[in-house]
């Protein structure tokens, strides 16, 4: 009401009054008379309807795209009148504009119907909708995140399969008259190239099959699951030559880039609001009060829970504000005490972390030494089977234990550090994330130290320990495969042997301690960290085992149903729900951290560690990366010079400086926008006292 | 939607469903409205009945469903949300409206209400965040502005099909 006088007022005669915002806006309005006023007049209900009718015949020069009647907040009767009036004034416009208007309307209709059709094809749409209705949007965001990971893994699998596995299989079996070229590597010591995987050795005991299936050795090692299968240099289809090593490397870069772009695209949608406004968007009171009630709730029981959770949230926020004020009033002595306590606790945290890392290192070393020793003992008998499997899975077991124990310790310790509750939660989560992702890094590091440990001269000639690891990429692939299988087994076992018995116990046993324990709540952050851990393993492992994304897709597919069943039958809704908007952003940030952390081991493997000479597509190269410079040398000289120029310092440094300048420009622009918003706010306050603008409120 | 509306009517009147008005008590038996703390306001806002008894015709029912569906723009949703939250129908959200709103959200029982001090603090924070012209009330433009920045609004504003 304050903004829209119907006619522009006459200009103020006195000089200083020209500074008033009202005069400025009156000037602007006179300049822009026509077009945009129809839009602003519309949302005012029936008054707007009359205004729209009055302006209808003047639309010729104005905007062509009138809003469809659906977008006006009027009752149906009034919308009918509006639509009739819109139809009526179509006659005032020329034939061409008429056709344009009707065709754009029908196009919009068609587009919205197509979009609706696509939404029916979404995977698990109904399941997620029902979960949202019963348990709230925080838990629903976990399941949509899971669905996103299933799709991501499926796309990665399609990528690797079509560019790497399919050509290999086609050329190996000679389909379509294809053949493959195996170039024996030159300048390599012959002892480096000896690789005899123990494939299918005829009649063996059944448990050997099981052991091979669970640990990726034996018959599984020679399949296309692992790196060692792709020991061809080129696939030839009549005259076309398909450079497999280059394709392998580029497919790896492609899936990493694809994951990065997709995650960034998803997280930008949640982040856009933050850049221009400086309030803490996700915690704001208005968001909780105006958008707090979930209109999807149909069950009175769920409604009661929602009331309670809203009450709890509002009370915690108010409490936190009071706490912040108290913290600001702390004396010097208290601050000193608290900071020294925090430093001490952080030292304990670091000690716990080092303990975890060291135990993982020792477990990996032990497992590698003992599983290699027992290679020759296939015929010993049943008794060694379990022990052997245990040794193989030792690193996975230790990592899972560390992932379970460390968060408990962290949540115990953080109570002493006296942070505000929201910060406590965030800090504990960050520490847990770090533990989980760093554990994988430590495992890989200990593997590498085993692989590159070289005592003899012959070994140094190969660059890696050729006796124990003739095909070390397959070994790493096997470790990742074991981690993934074990992760899945743990999730399954956790649901079967912990959740369901707990539910049975709580329903049938009425003794005090059991009832006090109660049903478990669905811990969103723990579950999310679990699946992000699995996804990081998949990203790292896909280079060494190209079919791993398929296993990951199937694994997450089953996890969806397992978690859904466990949620519906054994969990009670959380008393303190996490907000969906902040959770989505948090999940994607942690996933991004996992991806970036996955770049590091892959980068080191590809560029630094010599590739194995006995197997794989990179036999004839020093490192896996070396295939790229090699291919570049095969290009015409002009192109080569351009590429060399791009990679040289003379190009990189100015490029980097230009990027920095562009970034500073955007930061300055955002700052300027913020200042403009502030100024507009102040103007709005002033407008209230502006005599020219004070229309009496109707 | 027509089927659901006609189910609300007693058997005799189902033939004439297009022109009959359904009394408020029947509307409140709908599953979506049953558990909703704003049920009375919703009926009041969408009802075009002249007698003020909040009964809804089929057209009012359609209005309500279309506003709550996923395909309604956030402009429309925020416009109607403003009207629903405006308990005294004066066109602005003042302190009393906000107090009633918060009490609706936290539940009906005595122990689920916020204390007076907490309510004061909360309302002060809300006004600080959303009242741009500092007049102590929130009008439609301020409401739409603050809601457009609110990430949960579009998510929560839809009814299940």
């Amino acid at each position: 009401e304050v903004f829209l006088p119907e006619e522009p007022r006459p200009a103020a005669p006195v000089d200083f009054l020209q500074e008033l915002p009202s005069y400025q806006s009156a000037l602007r309005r006179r300049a822009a008379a026509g077009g945009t006023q129809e839009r602003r007049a519309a949302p005012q209900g029936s008054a707007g309807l009359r205004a729209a009718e009055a302006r209808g015949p003047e639309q010729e020069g104005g905007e062509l795209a009138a809003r469809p009647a659906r977008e006006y907040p009027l009752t149906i009767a009034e919308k009918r009148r509006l639509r009739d009036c819109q139809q009526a004034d179509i006659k005032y416009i020329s034939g061409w504009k008429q056709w344009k208007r009707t065709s754009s309307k029908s196009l919009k209709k068609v587009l919205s119907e197509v979009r609706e059709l696509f939404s029916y094809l979404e995977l698990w749409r109904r399941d997620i909708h029902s979960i949202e209705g019963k348990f709230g949007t925080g838990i629903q965001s976990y399941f949509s995140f899971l669905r996103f990971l299933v799709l991501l893994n499926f796309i990665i699998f399609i990528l690797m399969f079509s560019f790497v596995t399919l050509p290999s299989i086609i050329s190996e079996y000679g389909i379509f008259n294809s053949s493959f070229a195996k170039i024996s590597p030159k300048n390599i010591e012959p002892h480096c190239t000896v690789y005899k995987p123990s494939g299918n050795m005829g009649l063996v005991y059944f448990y050997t099959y099981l052991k091979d299936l669970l640990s990726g050795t034996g018959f599984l090692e020679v399949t296309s699951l692992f790196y060692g299968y792709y020991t061809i240099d080129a696939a030839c289809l009549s005259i076309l030559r398909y450079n497999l090593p280059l394709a392998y490397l580029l497919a790896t870069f492609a899936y990493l880039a694809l994951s990065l772009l997709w995650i960034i695209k998803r997280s930008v949608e949640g982040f856009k609001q933050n850049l221009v406004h400086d309030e803490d968007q996700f915690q704001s009171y208005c968001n909780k009060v105006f958008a707090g009630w979930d209109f999807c709730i149909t069950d009175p029981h769920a409604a009661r829970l929602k009331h309670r959770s809203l009450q709890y949230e509002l009370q915690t926020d108010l409490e936190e504000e009071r706490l912040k004020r108290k913290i600001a009033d702390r004396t010097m002595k208290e601050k000193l005490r608290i900071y020294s306590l925090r430093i001490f606790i952080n030292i304990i945290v670091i000690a716990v972390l080092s303990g975890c890392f060291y135990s993982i290192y020792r477990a990996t070393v032990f497992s590698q030494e003992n599983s290699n020793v027992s290679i020759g003992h296939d015929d010993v008998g049943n008794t060694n089977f379990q022990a052997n499997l245990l040794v193989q899975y030792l690193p996975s077991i230790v990592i899972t234990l560390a992932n379970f124990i460390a968060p408990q310790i962290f949540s115990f310790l953080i109570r002493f550090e006296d942070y505000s509750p929201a910060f406590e939660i965030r800090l504990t989560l960050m520490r847990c994330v770090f533990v989980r992702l760093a554990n994988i890094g430590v495992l890989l590091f200990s593997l590498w130290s085993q692989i590159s440990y070289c005592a003899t001269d012959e070994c140094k000639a190969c660059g890696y320990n050729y006796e124990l690891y003739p095909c070390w990429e397959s070994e790493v692939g096997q470790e990742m495969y074991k981690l993934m299988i074990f992760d899945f087994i743990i999730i399954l076992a956790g649901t079967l042997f912990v959740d369901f018995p707990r539910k049975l116990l709580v329903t049938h046993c009425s003794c005090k301690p059991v009832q006090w324990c109660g049903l478990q709540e669905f811990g969103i952050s723990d579950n999310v960290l679990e699946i992000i851990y699995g996804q990081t393993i998949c990203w790292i492992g896909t280079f060494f085992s190209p079919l791993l994304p398929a296993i990951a897709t199937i694994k997450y597919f089953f996890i969806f149903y397992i978690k859904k069943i466990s949620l519906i039958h054994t969990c009670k809704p959380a008393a303190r729900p996490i907000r969906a908007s902040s959770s989505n952003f948090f999940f994607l940030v942690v996933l991004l951290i996992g991806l970036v952390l996955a770049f590091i081991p892959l980068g080191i493997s590809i560029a630094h560690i010599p590739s194995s000479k006995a197997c794989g597509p990179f036999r004839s190269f020093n490192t896996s990366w070396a295939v790229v410079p090699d291919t570049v040398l095969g290009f015409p000289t002009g192109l080569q010079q351009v590429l060399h120029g791009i990679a040289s310092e003379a190009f990189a440094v100015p490029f980097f400086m230009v990027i920095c300048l562009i970034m500073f420009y955007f930061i300055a622009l955002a700052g300027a926008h913020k200042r403009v918003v502030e100024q507009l706010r102040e103007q709005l306050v002033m407008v209230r006292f502006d005599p020219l603008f004070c229309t009496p409120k109707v | 939607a027509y089927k659901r509306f006609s189910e609300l009517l007693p058997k005799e009147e189902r033939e004439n469903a297009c022109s009959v008005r359904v009394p408020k008590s029947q509307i409140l038996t709908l599953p979506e409205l049953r558990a909703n703390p704003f049920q009375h306001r919703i009926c009041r806002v969408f009802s075009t009945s002249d007698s003020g008894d909040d009964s809804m015709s089929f057209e009012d029912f359609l209005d309500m469903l279309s506003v709550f569906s996923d395909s309604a723009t956030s402009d429309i949703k925020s416009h109607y949300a403003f009207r629903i939250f405006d308990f005294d129908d004066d066109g602005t959200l003042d302190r009393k409206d906000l107090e009633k709103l918060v009490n609706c959200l936290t539940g009906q029982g005595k122990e689920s209400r916020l204390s007076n001090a907490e309510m004061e603090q909360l309302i002060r924070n809300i006004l600080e965040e959303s009242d741009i012209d500092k007049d102590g009330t929130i009008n439609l433009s301020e409401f739409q502005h603050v809601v457009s920045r609110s990430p949960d609004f579009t998510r929560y504003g839809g009814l299940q099909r």
Side-chain angles (χ1 to χ4, degrees):
Chain A
E1 285 75 19
V2 186
F3 279 95
L4 305 163
E6 294 294 294
E7 308 86 27
R9 305 292 172 114
V14 187
D15 267 340
F16 74 86
L17 281 178
Q18 289 181 16
E19 297 303 311
L20 278 175
S22 57
Y23 180 63
Q24 304 285 339
S25 5
L27 271 182
R28 253 182 283 132
R29 211 173 301 120
R30 244 181 274 146
T36 47
Q37 273 183 325
E38 192 233 336
R39 246 176 224 262
R40 274 194 283 159
Q44 281 182 55
S46 34
L49 178 58
R50 269 178 265 120
E53 279 173 346
R55 287 195 181 80
E58 299 166 18
Q59 278 311 304
E60 264 191 82
E63 293 171 41
L64 197 51
R67 285 157 68 190
R70 169 196 271 210
E71 292 185 13
Y72 290 112
L74 309 166
T75 62
I76 285 195
E78 288 173 357
K79 279 188 197 164
R80 274 207 206 102
R81 269 188 280 146
L82 179 63
R83 185 187 62 186
D84 292 335
C85 123
Q86 274 184 350
Q87 299 277 33
D89 67 45
I90 280 182
K91 299 195 198 91
Y92 287 103
I93 338 177
S94 67
W96 163 247
K97 287 192 184 149
Q98 199 174 338
W99 178 80
K100 234 174 142 184
R101 197 189 266 202
T102 41
S103 68
S104 72
K105 252 198 194 160
S106 34
L107 186 69
K108 272 188 215 155
K109 244 197 202 160
V110 165
L111 279 177
S112 69
E113 279 181 21
V114 165
R115 228 176 288 141
E116 222 181 288
L117 206 68
F118 270 127
S119 77
Y120 278 116
L121 295 174
E122 238 173 64
L123 185 64
W124 293 320
R125 192 166 150 271
R126 193 166 281 199
D127 293 303
I128 294 187
H129 230 77
S130 75
I131 290 176
E132 180 176 4
K134 289 199 199 110
F135 291 95
T137 44
I139 293 183
Q140 175 258 343
S141 61
Y142 166 79
F143 283 94
S144 345
F145 185 64
L146 198 50
R147 174 177 61 187
F148 162 64
L149 284 182
V150 168
L151 290 172
L152 181 68
N153 280 320
F154 186 65
I155 303 280
I156 294 179
F157 164 67
I158 299 279
L159 194 70
M160 286 302 267
F161 186 75
S162 43
F163 286 106
V164 173
T165 314
L166 206 57
S168 313
I169 294 183
I170 288 181
S171 58
E172 192 105 346
Y173 290 105
I175 313 174
F176 303 134
N177 262 344
S178 58
S179 60
F180 58 93
K182 238 178 178 163
I183 311 168
S184 54
K186 330 165 182 70
N187 303 332
I188 306 288
E189 309 291 325
H191 59 259
C192 294
T193 60
V194 168
Y195 175 53
K196 288 197 197 55
S198 54
N200 209 344
M201 294 195 305
L203 213 57
V204 289
Y205 290 107
F206 173 72
Y207 64 81
T208 323
Y209 273 131
L210 199 59
K211 167 176 164 304
D212 288 341
L213 198 66
L214 287 175
S215 55
T217 46
F219 80 95
L220 216 50
E221 192 168 340
V222 291
T223 57
S224 55
L225 181 59
F226 291 113
Y227 177 92
Y229 178 82
Y230 302 93
T231 314
I232 52 180
D233 292 283
C236 310
L237 183 63
S238 47
I239 45 160
L240 297 167
R241 200 169 172 278
Y242 185 79
N243 191 346
L244 190 73
L246 189 66
Y248 199 106
L249 199 65
L250 289 183
T252 308
F253 291 154
Y255 84 72
L256 288 173
L258 173 75
S259 313
L260 185 68
L261 289 172
W262 201 344
I263 295 174
I264 289 183
K265 173 181 166 289
R266 268 179 86 103
S267 54
V268 155
E269 286 152 8
F271 187 65
K272 254 188 220 164
Q273 302 282 348
N274 268 359
L275 280 177
V276 183
H277 308 282
D278 48 8
E279 286 106 311
D280 188 359
Q281 277 309 296
F282 298 140
Q283 309 285 346
S284 80
Y285 290 99
C286 285
N287 186 29
K288 290 206 177 87
V289 169
F290 293 137
W293 183 258
D294 184 359
F295 282 79
C296 283
I297 293 182
T298 57
D299 174 35
H301 182 64
R304 247 200 318 268
L305 285 164
K306 184 76 181 173
H307 283 307
R308 266 213 300 271
S309 77
L310 275 171
Q311 182 193 358
Y312 178 79
E313 255 192 274
L314 288 171
Q315 279 175 333
T316 354
D317 278 349
L318 293 169
E319 168 95 27
E320 200 169 310
E321 201 188 325
R322 286 195 289 265
L323 212 70
K324 272 199 200 138
R325 259 183 249 150
K326 197 184 86 176
I327 289 178
D329 298 331
R330 268 203 199 123
T331 65
M332 200 53 174
K333 192 168 151 215
E334 278 180 23
K335 276 194 193 162
L336 215 63
R337 186 185 71 90
I338 293 227
Y339 284 143
S340 46
L341 186 63
R342 282 183 193 166
I343 292 178
F344 176 64
I345 291 189
N346 276 316
I347 294 179
I348 298 183
V349 164
I350 295 179
V352 166
L353 284 175
S354 338
C356 287
F357 294 159
Y358 183 68
S359 48
I360 294 174
Y361 177 74
R362 294 270 355 135
T364 317
V365 166
F366 178 80
S367 154
Q368 288 296 312
E369 285 170 0
N370 288 40
S371 58
N372 278 325
V373 160
S374 63
I375 273 181
H377 293 235
D378 283 323
D379 47 359
V380 170
N382 236 350
T383 50
N384 248 4
F385 167 58
Q386 289 101 326
N388 202 330
L389 208 57
L390 198 66
V391 165
Q392 291 269 2
Y393 269 88
L394 196 60
S396 322
I397 296 175
V398 171
I399 289 184
T400 311
L401 274 176
N403 285 344
F404 178 70
I405 296 178
Q408 312 279 353
I409 300 182
F410 292 153
S411 44
F412 174 70
L413 283 176
I414 200 146
R415 271 181 252 167
F416 300 107
E417 290 185 79
D418 203 18
Y419 290 115
S420 63
F423 190 72
E424 258 185 33
I425 297 178
R426 267 185 237 154
L427 191 60
T428 319
L429 274 170
M430 281 293 123
R431 284 178 179 157
C432 296
V433 164
F434 181 69
V435 158
R436 280 184 187 256
L437 297 180
N439 281 344
I440 307 177
V442 170
L443 173 71
L444 286 170
F445 170 73
S446 26
L447 267 180
W448 279 322
S449 64
Q450 288 287 296
I451 289 170
S452 356
Y453 174 68
C454 260
T456 63
D457 276 337
E458 296 169 330
C459 165
K460 286 207 183 68
C462 293
Y464 55 91
N465 193 341
Y466 69 94
E467 289 160 32
L468 292 175
Y469 306 106
C471 191
W472 63 265
E473 284 99 341
S474 288
E475 284 290 325
V476 179
Q478 279 164 3
E479 281 298 329
M480 297 288 119
Y481 173 79
K482 279 186 272 186
L483 275 180
M484 187 159 273
I485 299 283
F486 190 69
D487 191 37
F488 181 58
I489 292 177
I490 285 289
I491 292 182
L492 197 60
T495 314
L496 279 178
F497 300 123
V498 173
D499 295 345
F500 277 98
R502 184 168 173 176
K503 162 97 191 272
L504 285 171
L505 214 57
V506 168
T507 13
H508 296 293
C509 169
S510 45
C511 52
K512 269 282 167 53
V514 169
Q515 288 302 325
W516 173 78
C517 235
L519 289 175
Q520 69 162 21
E521 288 177 7
F522 191 84
I524 298 181
S525 18
D526 293 326
N527 280 298
V528 165
L529 288 180
E530 228 169 40
I531 56 180
I532 290 181
Y533 165 75
Q535 184 59 36
T536 314
I537 295 176
C538 176
W539 274 323
I540 297 178
T542 303
F543 177 72
F544 304 106
S545 159
L547 295 185
L548 206 62
I551 300 178
T553 311
I554 298 174
K555 170 184 162 201
Y556 284 137
F557 191 83
F558 282 123
I559 287 181
F560 183 90
Y561 288 108
I562 295 172
K563 287 289 172 188
K564 177 171 172 245
I565 294 174
S566 155
L567 175 71
I568 293 181
H569 293 289
T570 66
C571 290
K572 64 174 188 229
R576 307 173 205 176
I578 301 184
R579 293 241 131 208
S581 45
S582 50
S583 340
N584 265 338
F585 187 60
F586 164 72
F587 300 163
L588 289 167
V589 163
V590 178
L591 193 63
L592 208 57
I593 294 177
L595 180 62
V596 168
L597 247 62
F599 282 155
I600 301 176
L602 275 179
I604 297 182
S605 302
I606 292 178
H608 189 66
I609 301 187
S611 52
S612 49
K613 307 290 178 283
C615 65
F618 302 109
R619 283 177 315 155
S620 16
F621 306 100
N622 264 340
T623 60
S624 313
W625 169 256
V627 73
V628 169
D630 215 53
T631 326
V632 167
L633 286 172
F635 288 162
T637 24
L639 193 57
Q640 261 189 59
Q641 279 177 344
V642 168
L643 288 173
H644 278 300
I646 293 181
S648 68
E649 295 91 25
F651 178 79
V653 170
F655 181 69
F656 178 69
M657 281 172 51
V658 167
I659 296 273
C660 279
L661 280 174
I662 295 181
M663 197 173 67
F664 283 136
Y665 167 72
F666 277 117
I667 292 177
L669 199 64
H673 282 312
K674 255 191 226 180
R675 273 197 300 277
V676 168
V677 168
E678 294 290 329
Q679 281 180 352
L680 282 175
R681 281 174 167 246
E682 284 168 28
Q683 271 198 358
L684 280 166
V685 177
M686 273 185 8
V687 153
R688 261 184 69 221
F689 301 106
D690 181 353
L692 285 179
F693 246 61
C694 270
T695 50
K697 287 217 174 127
V698 182
Chain B
Y2 181 71
K3 206 167 42 156
R4 295 193 65 187
F5 185 72
S6 53
E7 279 167 16
L8 290 174
L9 293 172
K11 274 227 160 73
E12 318 81 64
E13 304 184 20
R14 276 200 196 155
E15 305 302 312
N16 250 357
C18 287
S19 41
V20 172
R21 305 195 78 93
V22 174
K24 181 172 173 179
S25 45
Q26 283 286 76
I27 301 276
L28 292 182
T29 59
L30 277 175
E32 288 87 356
L33 289 185
R34 223 178 6 212
N36 200 317
F38 301 111
Q39 41 186 229
H40 301 285
R41 285 300 306 163
I42 291 178
C43 287
R44 169 63 58 90
V45 164
F46 284 103
S47 153
T48 53
S49 105
D50 309 309
S51 54
D53 62 352
D54 294 341
S55 57
M56 291 176 63
S57 69
F58 182 56
E59 294 198 336
D60 299 334
F61 188 70
L62 274 185
D63 268 339
M64 184 174 77
L65 286 186
S66 84
V67 166
F68 282 120
S69 80
D70 288 340
S71 46
T73 62
S74 66
D75 265 352
I76 292 211
K77 284 194 205 257
S78 53
H79 180 98
Y80 274 102
F82 183 77
R83 285 175 65 188
I84 291 175
F85 292 153
D86 188 9
F87 284 84
D88 47 12
D89 281 324
D90 62 354
T92 60
L93 296 180
D94 57 10
R95 296 188 90 94
K96 285 199 285 307
D97 289 329
L98 289 175
E99 233 181 272
K100 284 202 207 130
L101 172 60
V102 170
N103 282 331
C104 272
L105 283 178
T106 57
Q108 297 301 73
K110 263 254 152 66
E111 67 284 345
S112 57
R113 302 199 163 190
L114 298 182
S115 70
N116 277 339
E118 286 174 338
M119 184 69 78
E120 270 305 306
Q121 191 185 354
L122 180 60
I123 292 184
R124 197 179 48 235
N125 282 326
I126 294 177
L127 286 176
E128 206 178 290
E129 281 177 2
S130 52
D131 189 12
I132 300 179
D133 58 4
K134 308 270 180 270
D135 60 355
T137 64
I138 303 178
N139 62 24
L140 178 62
S141 332
E142 290 165 349
F143 182 77
Q144 284 185 324
H145 180 244
V146 81
V147 143
S148 69
R149 296 180 310 174
S150 159
D152 287 333
F153 188 71
T154 40
R155 203 190 310 270
Y156 281 147
L159 285 179
Q160 254 176 329
R161 249 158 253 251

